[in-house]
Amino acid sequence: MSKDAPLTVAVTGAGVVGLCAALEVQRAGHHVLLIEPGEPGGRQAASYGNATWINPGAIVPISLPGLWRKVPGFLLDRTGPFTVRWRDLPRHAGWLARFVAAGRDWDRIAICARHRYPLCKETVTDHQAYATEAGVGHLIRQQGLVYVYPDRAAFAAERRIWAMRRELGVRFSEIEEAELRRLQPELSPTYRFGARLDGAGQIADPGAYCAALAQLLEARGARRIVARATGFSLDGGRLSAVTTDQGPVACQRAVLAAGIGSAGLARLAGDHVPLISERGYHVVIPEPGVELGAGLMPSDGQMGIVSTPQGLRLAGQVELADPAAAPDWRRAKRFDAAEIDRWMGNRPSTPDGLPCIGFASGSPDIVHAFGHAHTGLTQAPATGKLVAALIDGREPPFDPTPYSARRFAR
């Protein structure tokens, strides 16, 4: 709880990151204004369509050593787990160069993993607490997550990644074929070895969860404003309002958590962040005839496979493309039945595998909280706690320096 007079804090964006930040700011005793043009938990949000995982082991960025050799394949294979649309290559070339450079050696990956870990470490415990407060504790499932491989050799090929997890204290168990068959009898015989992240879990219905958090905020006094943030009213770097398409919203502090829309707002706050859409896809198969306990990640598919109340969800993969471009459903061509639900969303991604969290360069009254790419669900609670501490002037729970947007100005 803040020792000073309560502030009025506008949170721009009601995705899971914005909602967790709003809850923590509210918990600190401040008045929250939640600015969001859509319905919290709606299909328009990246928070709606993820793989549902909350994963303490989500410490490794996508860009890894040797990735540059695969770039031609990304351009040629439009349905692979990582693809780049040809027509968007010129506008994404600078981002891609930074992306490849960020993963050029394992020392850099280890540093990135150490910075990501504080954002992931307590995710299951924190989400369970939020869900309980919001009356949706049943949405949190804590049965672990299983990465499945053709054999132990394929697992050993990723030994550096698993070693990093072990060194940071992420618990996992190796699973031989017999145990894998017992845990998931329907699993294809192609997969004969697994590694289970024992402390991980899932939020069975992220959309319903986000809607419940928004309702909790409002029940505790937050005010939701249906509008799209367009900028900031600043005088000498001090904030007086967030401007929106429905008029100004007076406030003393602002949290920028507008997902893919954050880059333009960040520029107005003094920071030029290379943020692009890491577009994610999912399909949901209703009544699939199989119920998964733990979520699955096939090593050759790079997608999360999970059971949800709506059916079996296959989610993930990466497509770098213009946010406004039409979805490319060729990657889901095997799922053409009318009853299959298909979704595509824009995940805001920086090239170095870290989000932007911290004070804006142009104002000490604006705090960034965006750029979490495909791990926003996992990293949202820790981001919210860090944001609230910064706004409140308290000692942060961990060092915010690695996440500063100023790193892109160097």
Side-chain angles (χ1 to χ4, degrees), residues 11-205:
V11 178
T12 64
V16 69
V17 173
L19 290 166
C20 289
L23 281 167
E24 293 298 336
V25 167
Q26 189 181 64
R27 198 187 308 278
H30 303 296
H31 304 303
V32 171
L33 305 174
L34 189 63
I35 303 173
E36 167 62 47
E39 194 66 26
R43 293 178 68 94
Q44 82 286 348
S47 299
Y48 173 90
N50 51 64
T52 81
W53 289 20
I54 43 178
N55 182 7
I59 60 170
V60 180
I62 293 176
S63 181
L64 297 174
L67 184 76
W68 63 270
R69 299 187 188 94
K70 302 178 181 179
V71 171
F74 297 159
L75 294 167
L76 294 172
D77 185 0
R78 295 289 297 276
T79 62
F82 190 116
T83 186
V84 183
R85 291 202 183 185
W86 273 99
R87 66 172 174 265
D88 294 310
L89 182 59
R91 66 184 296 185
H92 292 334
W95 188 95
L96 275 169
R98 288 188 175 199
F99 176 71
V100 171
R104 65 178 177 264
D105 61 65
W106 285 104
D107 288 341
R108 288 176 180 270
I109 301 303
I111 292 170
C112 184
R114 288 197 295 272
H115 294 331
R116 288 175 63 91
Y117 184 55
L119 295 169
C120 304
K121 182 180 179 181
E122 303 295 338
T123 183
V124 176
T125 301
D126 289 340
H127 277 301
Q128 182 67 72
Y130 291 148
T132 300
E133 291 177 42
V136 290
H138 63 283
L139 292 179
I140 309 299
R141 299 176 180 174
Q142 300 184 51
Q143 296 174 285
L145 303 171
V146 180
Y147 290 68
V148 291
Y149 298 87
D151 49 38
R152 178 177 280 277
F155 168 73
E158 297 183 356
R159 62 188 179 279
R160 288 180 182 268
I161 294 172
W162 290 97
M164 287 180 195
R165 290 182 173 129
R166 180 182 288 113
E167 289 165 8
L168 288 170
V170 177
R171 294 185 296 108
F172 66 89
S173 305
E174 297 180 12
I175 307 174
E176 299 291 347
E177 184 174 9
E179 178 65 4
L180 201 57
R181 294 281 164 265
R182 187 190 70 78
L183 290 171
Q184 198 57 60
E186 297 86 356
L187 185 67
S188 166
T190 300
Y191 303 105
R192 295 182 287 117
F193 188 83
R196 179 175 54 213
L197 289 162
D198 301 317
Q202 69 175 113
I203 298 176
D205 188 336

Side-chain angles (χ1 to χ4, degrees), residues 214-241:
Q215 291 166 9
L216 176 63
L217 278 162
E218 291 189 80
R220 291 178 173 177
R223 182 161 66 94
R224 187 157 71 90
I225 299 170
V226 182
R228 185 180 304 279
T230 58
F232 308 99
S233 292
L234 295 168
D235 185 0
R238 303 316 304 244
L239 179 72
S240 60

